[in-house]
Amino acid sequence: MDVSKEKGIGTDYGPGSPADSNEAGAFERPAQGALARKLQGRHMQMIAIGGSIGAGLFVGSGPSFVNGGPGSVLLGFLITGVMLLMVMQALGEMAVLYPVNGAFYTYFIRFIDPAWGFAIGWDYAISWLIVLPFELIAAGLTIDFWRPDINIGVWITVFLVILAAIQFFGVRGYGEVEFVLGMIKVIAVIGFIIFGIITDCGGVPTDTRGYIGAHYWHHPGAFRNGFKGFCSVFVNAAFAYAGTELVGLAAAEAADPRKSLPKASKQVFWRIAGFYVLSLFMVGLIVPADNEELLGAGNDNTKASPFVLAIRLAGVKGLPSVFNAVITISVISVANSCTFASSRTMQAMGATGMGPRFLAYVDKKGRPVWCVVIQLAFGLLAFISEASAGSTVFTWLLALSGLSYLFVWGSICLAHIRFRKGWRVQGRSLDDIPYKSPFGIIGSWVGLILSSLAIIATFYSSLFPIHKPANAENFFENYLAAPIIIVLYLGWKVYSRGHGGLFVRAQDMDLTTGLRSLDLEPMVQREELPIGKRILRTIF
C-alpha cells in the first residue's frame, strides 16, 4: 500500500486541484509533524461515555423542563439519544476503516459533496470555538455558588490558564484529563440516580414531601405548552449530547482505532439510557416543572440547575455543594473537549485546502499549535459576561451551538449511506469492512430521518416561540446555524464554480486514501444474524 495513503493523508479539494477533475488520490502538503497516536482504549471509552456530560445536561436542561415538562424532556432526549446511537454506529464503521484526521469532515467531502463538507466542517469548528467561552462562563458561575463576592472574571482567567496548560501535553494530556474527569462525572450521575430513587420513594428524612411517586407528572403535568413545548426540547437536547461524535474525531490519534473505536461506539447506548435519559427522568419525578427557581436555569444562574435544585428541595445539606463541584468539573471537561474538537477540525481543513494553510501546521509533538492558539483566543470572549448583556450572550451561544450538531449527525448518517453505495458500486465486498454497524444502512436512514425531524421541530419552535410573539430575534437565537451553513455551502459552490454536481458520484468516490484495515483479518461480524437479534446482542 502507498506510504502516503497508509499515513491517512487527506485529499486536497480546493478549486483547480486534481480532485476537482475527479482524480482520486490528491494528497495534502505535509506539515512539520503528524498528529500523535497516543489515545488508549480507556481514553476512547471514557470520551464516549462521559466526554460531553457538562453544562448542557446539568444546567441547560432546566429550560426544557419549564417549557416542555418532564414528559417532553424524556421523549425529546430519548429520541435524540436513539438518533445518536445510529449515528455513532455509522461513524464507528467509517472511522475504523478510515481513521483519518478530520474524521467525519473528511467523510462529508469524499462521500457527499466537497461544498457540503466545507460548510459543515467550518460550522462545526465555529460551534466549538464559540462553546468554549460559554463553558468558561458557566464554570465561573458555578463558583459563584460558594463565593459570590469574587468577580467571575477571576475564575474565567483561572480556568483559561488551566486549559492552556493541558494543551501543552498534547493529545495525551487531553485523554488523561478526560479519563479522570469523566470517571468523576459518571460516578456523580450514577449517585444522583440512586439519590433520585430514594427521594422519590420518600426515603430522605429531611424531605418533608414524603413519597412523591409520579405526582409532578400529574401536577403541574408531564407535558407543558403542548406540541410547541415538545419541539422546544430539541435544541437543548442537541447541545447536551454534543461531543458524542468526538470518538470518531479522535480516531486519527488513537493508538489502536480498530480495537478501541468499536468498543467506544458500543458504549453510547449505556450513556444514552443511563446518564441522560434515566437521570433526567429522576429529575422530572422529584422537581416540579413550575418551580420558580427552575425558571432561571440556563441563563445566567447555574444555582438553578435542576440537579442541584432537586437536592435542595430534599433538604439535604452539604450535598448541593458537592454536586455543584461536579458541575464545575464537568464544565472544565467540556471546555477541554472544545479545544480538541475545533483544533483538529481546523487543522484538517487547513490541510485539505479548505482553510488557511498555516492551520495545517503540526509540531513535532503532534500538536496543531496555531489551531489551539485560535481556540484559546476565542476563550477570551468569556469576559463578555462582565457586560450588562452577558446573559443575552449566554443564551445566543447555547442556541447557536445546539442546532449545528443536528446537521453534523444527519450528515454522518448520509455519508455512511453514500459510502456503502460507493463501496458496492466499486465492486468491493462488505467482508472487507473490519467493523460493520449492527444496524446497517437501515440505522443510518433512521438517524438521518430523526435528525431531519429534529431540525424541522426546532424550526417550528423558533418560528412560533412559547409565550412570545414571533419575531426575527427569537427565530435566529435558535436557528442561526442553518443560514450560516447555507451561506458557507453556496459560497464554496461559487468559489469552486459548482464543480461536481449535488453529490460525489459513487464511482468517483475516494475509497483508498487513509485506508488502514484491508490488510488485517476482519473482525468477528454478526451480519449473518437477523437484524432483530443483532440489535439485541449489541445492546446486551
Side-chain angles (χ1 to χ4, degrees):
M1 185 176 294
D2 191 288
V3 174
S4 61
K5 295 175 183 178
E6 179 62 23
K7 288 184 178 180
I9 298 176
T11 305
D12 190 338
Y13 288 95
S17 69
D20 242 1
S21 302
N22 290 328
E23 295 180 13
F27 308 123
E28 69 180 49
R29 302 177 184 89
Q32 291 296 113
L35 294 176
R37 294 180 171 272
K38 295 184 178 181
L39 290 177
Q40 304 298 322
R42 61 187 179 89
H43 298 137
M44 300 294 287
Q45 292 190 46
M46 194 51 63
I47 291 172
I49 297 175
S52 64
I53 299 177
L57 174 65
F58 293 133
V59 181
S61 58
S64 296
F65 282 103
V66 174
N67 295 327
S72 294
V73 170
L74 186 64
L75 283 177
F77 274 77
L78 184 59
I79 292 172
T80 308
V82 171
M83 175 180 65
L84 258 296
L85 178 60
M86 303 303 173
V87 169
M88 287 306 300
Q89 293 302 318
L91 179 58
E93 177 179 314
M94 293 186 291
V96 170
L97 194 60
Y98 301 102
V100 295
N101 188 26
F104 39 84
Y105 151 72
T106 305
Y107 307 149
F108 301 162
I109 293 176
R110 291 188 187 182
F111 307 136
I112 302 178
D113 176 58
W116 188 251
F118 173 82
I120 300 298
W122 272 113
D123 183 68
Y124 184 76
I126 291 171
S127 295
W128 282 112
L129 286 172
I130 294 176
V131 167
L132 178 60
F134 160 75
E135 296 292 341
L136 292 173
I137 293 171
L141 290 171
T142 58
I143 304 298
D144 186 69
F145 185 90
W146 300 291
R147 295 298 303 270
D149 57 314
I150 299 180
N151 188 282
I152 186 177
V154 174
W155 301 115
I156 290 175
T157 303
V158 170
F159 292 132
L160 193 56
V161 170
I162 293 174
L163 190 62
I166 294 173
Q167 307 314 309
F168 176 80
F169 297 98
V171 70
R172 188 59 182 267
Y174 164 73
E176 293 296 348
V177 169
E178 283 305 297
F179 181 78
V180 174
L181 299 185
M183 286 291 293
I184 295 174
K185 291 188 288 185
V186 168
I187 293 172
V189 172
I190 293 174
F192 178 83
I193 292 171
I194 296 173
F195 169 81
I197 294 172
I198 296 173
T199 302
D200 190 58
C201 294
V204 179
T206 56
D207 193 342
T208 58
R209 295 173 296 179
Y211 175 78
I212 301 174
H215 174 74
Y216 294 140
W217 277 60
H218 299 284
H219 307 283
F223 297 92
R224 296 166 59 85
N225 300 307
F227 185 66
K228 284 185 180 180
F230 173 72
C231 291
S232 69
V233 172
F234 286 106
V235 170
N236 288 334
F239 184 82
Y241 280 116
T244 305
E245 72 288 339
L246 288 181
V247 174
L249 196 63
E253 296 173 80
D256 188 1
R258 181 174 178 269
K259 181 179 179 181
S260 59
L261 271 172
K263 289 184 178 180
S265 298
K266 293 174 183 177
Q267 297 290 335
V268 173
F269 174 80
W270 303 108
R271 175 180 171 185
I272 292 167
F275 303 132
Y276 280 88
V277 176
L278 191 53
S279 62
L280 290 172
F281 174 66
M282 296 313 305
V283 169
L285 287 178
I286 60 180
V287 177
D290 60 352
N291 186 283
E292 293 183 359
E293 294 185 60
L294 193 63
L295 294 174
N299 295 319
D300 58 353
N301 182 16
T302 56
K303 295 180 182 179
S305 161
F307 289 79
V308 174
L309 183 58
I311 299 172
R312 290 169 56 194
L313 290 175
V316 181
K317 295 183 179 180
L319 194 56
S321 292
V322 173
F323 208 86
N324 193 71
V326 172
I327 296 177
T328 306
I329 291 172
S330 300
V331 171
I332 295 173
S333 172
V334 176
N336 188 36
S337 297
C338 289
T339 306
F340 178 82
S342 64
S343 62
R344 269 54 179 184
T345 303
M346 287 191 293
Q347 193 277 334
M349 300 194 73
T352 55
M354 289 188 168
R357 277 294 177 184
F358 75 90
L359 295 178
Y361 175 79
V362 178
D363 68 8
K364 294 181 180 180
K365 294 186 178 180
R367 297 171 298 194
V369 178
W370 290 113
C371 299
V372 172
V373 170
I374 291 173
Q375 174 67 90
L376 294 176
F378 265 79
L380 298 175
L381 291 176
F383 291 102
I384 293 177
S385 62
E386 294 290 279
S388 57
S391 61
T392 303
V393 175
F394 193 97
T395 302
W396 276 84
L397 294 179
L398 176 65
L400 173 64
S401 302
L403 189 63
S404 300
Y405 305 112
L406 291 174
F407 280 98
V408 171
W409 299 332
S411 298
I412 290 173
C413 292
L414 179 58
H416 180 242
I417 295 170
R418 296 282 302 159
F419 156 72
R420 282 289 192 96
K421 181 177 180 180
W423 194 263
R424 175 177 53 83
V425 169
Q426 295 189 24
R428 298 175 183 257
S429 172
L430 288 179
D431 294 333
D432 292 333
I433 300 177
Y435 173 74
K436 291 188 283 290
S437 167
F439 307 107
I441 296 298
I442 295 176
S444 293
W445 275 112
V446 170
L448 178 59
I449 292 171
L450 288 178
S451 61
S452 300
L453 291 176
I455 291 172
I456 293 172
T458 305
F459 178 84
Y460 173 76
S461 63
S462 302
L463 195 60
F464 304 104
I466 300 172
H467 304 314
K468 294 180 181 179
N471 59 68
E473 181 179 357
N474 287 331
F475 177 80
F476 285 110
E477 277 185 357
N478 293 285
Y479 221 74
L480 187 58
I484 288 177
I485 290 174
I486 293 173
V487 169
L488 290 172
Y489 173 79
L490 295 177
W492 186 262
K493 279 292 185 184
V494 172
Y495 178 65
S496 62
R497 299 178 295 279
H499 176 77
L502 188 61
F503 287 104
V504 175
R505 293 184 297 179
Q507 61 267 31
D508 296 331
M509 288 180 184
D510 179 8
L511 300 179
T512 305
T513 305
L515 194 63
R516 294 182 181 275
S517 301
L518 291 186
D519 57 336
L520 302 175
E521 289 294 326
M523 299 174 66
V524 177
Q525 297 298 321
R526 296 169 181 168
E527 288 291 331
E528 70 280 359
L529 296 177
I531 188 170
K533 291 186 177 180
R534 276 186 275 139
I535 292 174
L536 291 176
R537 289 188 62 177
T538 300
I539 292 174
F540 294 106

